[in-house]
Each structure stands twice: as C-alpha cells, then as structure tokens.
Amino acid sequence: MHIRRVTNTERSSTSFPLQAYAFEASPKRPERAEEFGRYLPYGEANRTLIAEEGGETLAVVSAIPMRQNLRGAVLPMAGVAGVATHPLARRRGHVRALLHRLLDEMRDEGHLVSALYPFRASFYERFGYVGLPRSRTVTFTPADLAPLLRADLPGELSWERTGTGYAAHRAFTERCLAERHGFALFPETRAVWLRDDDDRWLVTARVDGATVGVLTYRIDDHGGELAGDDLLVADPYARALILQFLARHVDQVGRVRLRVAADELPELWLTDLAVHVEARVARPGSAAPMARLLSLDALSGLPAGPGRARISLTGDRWLGGSHLLDGTTGRLELVADAATGAAPTATLTAAGLSALAYGVLDPAEVDVRGLGQVPADAAVELRRLFPRRLPYLYADF
C-alpha cells in the first residue's frame, strides 16, 4: 500500500468514485460522474490523500482548511471529510494510516483543532475526537406565528436569491465566527458554492443598516414545506423579524422546517406555538459532529476560570506530557512538564481534554466515560478552568 496526496484534478478518477459509492445512491448515473468536474474548483484548498495498491485507489480522506471559534479564539481548523474505503479493502487499517498522515500534515501546517462528521463515533473517539451537540430541526406551521404579524419590531427585511445576497450572508457568518463558541466556516473557495448554485432564497434582517440575521431556504411546492437552513440571528429581535416573515407564508405553505443551535429553545419563542424540535442521531446516515484539539497551543490564552490543575495526557499521537493549567489570571496559561506545586492531577486522553476545552462534558462525565481519570479535587479545578458551554459547529461537511 502506498499513500500519496492527489491533485484536485486527480480527484475525479481517484477519490470521487469511492466517496460517491460511500455516501450516495449507487451505482452512479453516467451524468453524475460528469458532474464531479463541476465541484472541483470548490475543493481547490482541500488536502486529499489516497491509499493505493497496484494503481487502484483503496481508501481516501480529505481535509478542508477551515476556521473555528474555541471559547472566543478563532483558530485554524482541519475539517476532515470524505473518508471512504473500497468495499473489498475495508477493515484493513487503510483509514487509520491515512488519518495519521493527514492530521500530521495539517497539524504541521498550523491547524490547532479538527472537526468531522463521523461514520461511527467510537472509531473517531480513538483518534481523540469527542462528540459535539447536533443542530436541532424545528418544525411548525406558519399559522402559529400569527401574533408576530401585529408586533412592531425594529429593523427591516430584504429578500433575494443567494446569488445576489451572498456577500452579506458571508459577512454575517464571519460575525458569527467571531462571536459564537464552536462556530466553523469554510474557506472562501468552498463557501462561494452557495453563491454559484443560487438555488435558495435569502431573507436578511437589518437594523440601522447592519445585518442582524439571515435565513436561506427553499419551498418544495404550494401547500408543502418551506425548508430552511440554519437560522442565524444576533438577538431575539432579529429572530422575531425573520419569524414574522415566515408568518406571511400562511396561505402558501403548510409547514416550516429549519435548523437551530442546540442552545435555542423554540418552545419558548411564542405562546401557543405548536413546535416539534428534534436532534436525530443515527448510524449510518445522521451523525452528530465531533472535534478535537490537535495542539495544546489551542488552549494558550483562552478565557478561563480561576482554577489550577495538572493534567497528564496519555494515549495520543499529538497530545502528550504533563502540563500545569493555570487560569488564575483569567487567561489559560500552560506550563509544560510541571513537576512541582500543590495543584491536583488528572490523567486525560485527548478526547477527554477536548471534551473539557469544547465544554461538552463535565470532568466527572469525562471520568465516567473512560476518557480519563479525574479525582474529585481535580474535577473541582477543571470545572473552574473550563466552564460548560454549548458549541455550535454550523458548517456541514
């Protein structure tokens, strides 16, 4: 077996066929194979590795160079995607070898964190990844939004296709990246797919000329469904403006469906709003995202509570050693190979430390899940250092 990086143009004959077999209906139609070339420009920034034998591609993995907000710091992120193996070459370690090489290279290039959507979460947990909350799908009837039609709200709305509204949409997602923990964005070369496809409507909420909310959506038929993507808003007024817009579709569609972050509570948006909120995780087909730290440099200088603990990192290719974590200044400081002091000690896997950094697990849950050994005194300090937070990945890849 030989591992090599393929050029973007090589992907049509190497990675795309395996990825299409793994994630689409198959056998693929001849015209679908021709469509591969259309998507090549959007993957120009990707790093794609293949494992091959005798000139045949056996497995493939790609990384998208992205950015992610970790507790207020925007960091370079490797978005792992398109992991696929030839059906006759599965369970032979090809993906493991490819992931090791890929993450080595992305880390060496300065990517401090990584995220992905797993085919099996337990597989990636062994690579140091930990689960993040899945976006919620919200379904309701526009008729239940009728009270908002009488509301006098600050701001105004614009309505257009994504082809013309892309720049404003992208600018608002950049604002979300700067402000929302866990939020991740594609590079511009990939993000312009939204503009070029031009297959959605875009409603934008503005106050005093500044964008405060966006929603892209499509309508499947008269009397059918208005299917929205992620509802991105800066505050409750912006959300109410966009919901007010959706209320005006009462005589056009039977239901509205859109995505929201895990910290949204749609059941409290309005009195008498009959709403179905769902976060479905299934294997295969509907995975919650996962993320991990690739370097301890990701933690340096992050906002932290007044805790102090020593961690011993074990079982990982990229994170190791003993380190003192000190948040007494309000910013996290790391001291490598700390051997002195009275700080309590916890032993953590990479997944355990990533769970604390992303705020998805309490230190006691890290212990219960077998992602580390966290004595009670260390758990107290780690809670102070890493208060619980709900990350919102946003990007779907």
Side-chain angles (χ1 to χ4, degrees):
M1 184 193 69
H2 173 63
I3 294 177
R4 68 180 179 94
R5 182 179 180 181
V6 295
T7 65
N8 202 36
T9 54
E10 285 182 284
R11 293 176 67 198
S12 292
S13 59
T14 57
S15 66
F16 280 176
L18 286 188
Q19 290 164 343
Y21 180 80
F23 303 113
E24 301 180 12
S26 64
K28 62 181 181 295
R29 307 180 310 277
E31 57 269 27
R32 175 57 180 149
E34 295 172 4
E35 290 174 2
F36 289 160
R38 180 187 170 212
Y39 299 118
L40 285 176
Y42 304 104
E44 190 66 44
N46 291 11
R47 177 181 296 266
T48 299
L49 303 181
I50 65 168
E52 60 183 359
E53 195 171 81
E56 183 177 18
T57 302
L58 301 181
V60 57
V61 62
S62 292
I64 309 166
M66 301 172 67
R67 291 168 293 149
Q68 185 179 35
N69 183 312
L70 180 65
R71 294 186 180 268
V74 177
L75 305 174
M77 182 192 99
V80 176
V83 180
T85 307
H86 190 289
L88 296 180
R90 291 174 179 172
R91 298 184 180 274
R92 288 166 50 186
H94 298 319
V95 167
R96 178 177 297 276
L98 284 172
L99 281 171
H100 281 161
R101 176 79 66 85
L102 182 74
L103 293 179
D104 281 347
E105 293 180 3
M106 297 302 286
R107 186 178 186 272
D108 289 346
E109 290 186 0
H111 293 84
L112 304 182
V113 293
S114 178
L116 51 78
Y117 288 83
F119 61 83
R120 183 185 293 269
S122 58
F123 176 84
Y124 287 101
E125 187 176 84
R126 295 193 291 272
F127 285 88
Y129 287 87
V130 68
L132 304 184
R134 184 164 178 79
S135 296
R136 271 52 179 160
T137 300
V138 183
T139 307
F140 52 86
T141 64
D144 281 354
L145 303 177
L148 285 173
L149 295 173
R150 300 187 295 271
D152 184 15
L153 301 171
E156 60 282 330
L157 295 168
S158 65
W159 177 69
E160 59 195 317
R161 294 278 287 268
T162 51
T164 58
Y166 169 77
H169 183 276
R170 176 68 172 180
F172 188 69
T173 59
E174 289 280 357
R175 172 181 171 179
C176 294
L177 174 66
E179 297 177 353
R180 300 202 65 160
H181 170 55
F183 204 89
L185 280 186
F186 291 124
E188 183 71 13
T189 52
R190 169 71 177 270
V192 292
W193 191 338
L194 179 68
R195 177 197 66 197
D196 297 347
D197 260 14
D198 194 22
D199 65 346
R200 286 167 166 77
W201 295 108
L202 167 65
V203 57
T204 304
R206 294 183 175 87
V207 174
D208 297 328
T211 300
V212 293
V214 294
L215 175 68
T216 58
Y217 69 92
R218 288 185 279 190
I219 296 175
D220 64 2
D221 204 353
H222 184 262
E225 181 176 85
L226 186 155
D229 299 307
D230 291 65
L231 176 63
L232 300 177
V233 294
D235 55 47
Y237 287 112
R239 183 179 64 217
L241 267 173
I242 293 179
L243 292 178
Q244 188 183 68
F245 171 82
L246 298 176
R248 298 184 186 124
H249 292 73
V250 63
D251 296 317
Q252 183 180 354
V253 299
R255 63 188 174 277
V256 174
R257 176 173 53 85
L258 46 83
R259 291 193 301 265
V260 297
D263 59 359
E264 278 280 8
L265 300 175
E267 63 271 26
L268 302 182
W269 284 351
L270 284 171
T271 304
D272 290 336
L273 175 63
V275 60
H276 179 82
V277 183
E278 180 181 48
R280 181 175 180 270
V281 177
R283 189 183 73 247
S286 181
M290 303 182 80
R292 65 156 291 160
L293 306 179
L294 279 179
S295 169
L296 289 176
D297 290 343
L299 298 179
S300 183
L302 290 184
R308 196 167 182 269
R310 182 176 295 109
I311 58 170
S312 178
L313 297 170
T314 182
D316 188 63
R317 184 183 180 93
W318 300 282
L319 303 181
S322 179
H323 307 266
L324 179 68
L325 305 182
D326 192 339
T328 53
T329 65
R331 294 284 174 179
L332 192 60
E333 297 180 21
L334 287 80
V335 181
D337 299 318
T340 61
T345 299
T347 300
L348 299 173
T349 64
L353 179 59
S354 298
L356 297 175
Y358 279 93
V360 292
L361 295 181
D362 181 83
E365 292 174 307
V366 170
D367 192 274
V368 169
R369 291 268 300 270
L371 303 179
Q373 296 175 342
V374 187
D377 57 351
V380 170
E381 297 300 314
L382 290 170
R383 283 190 195 99
R384 291 172 178 160
L385 285 165
F386 299 109
R388 288 291 294 269
R389 299 192 66 176
L390 277 179
Y392 172 33
L393 185 62
Y394 173 64
D396 195 353
F397 50 93

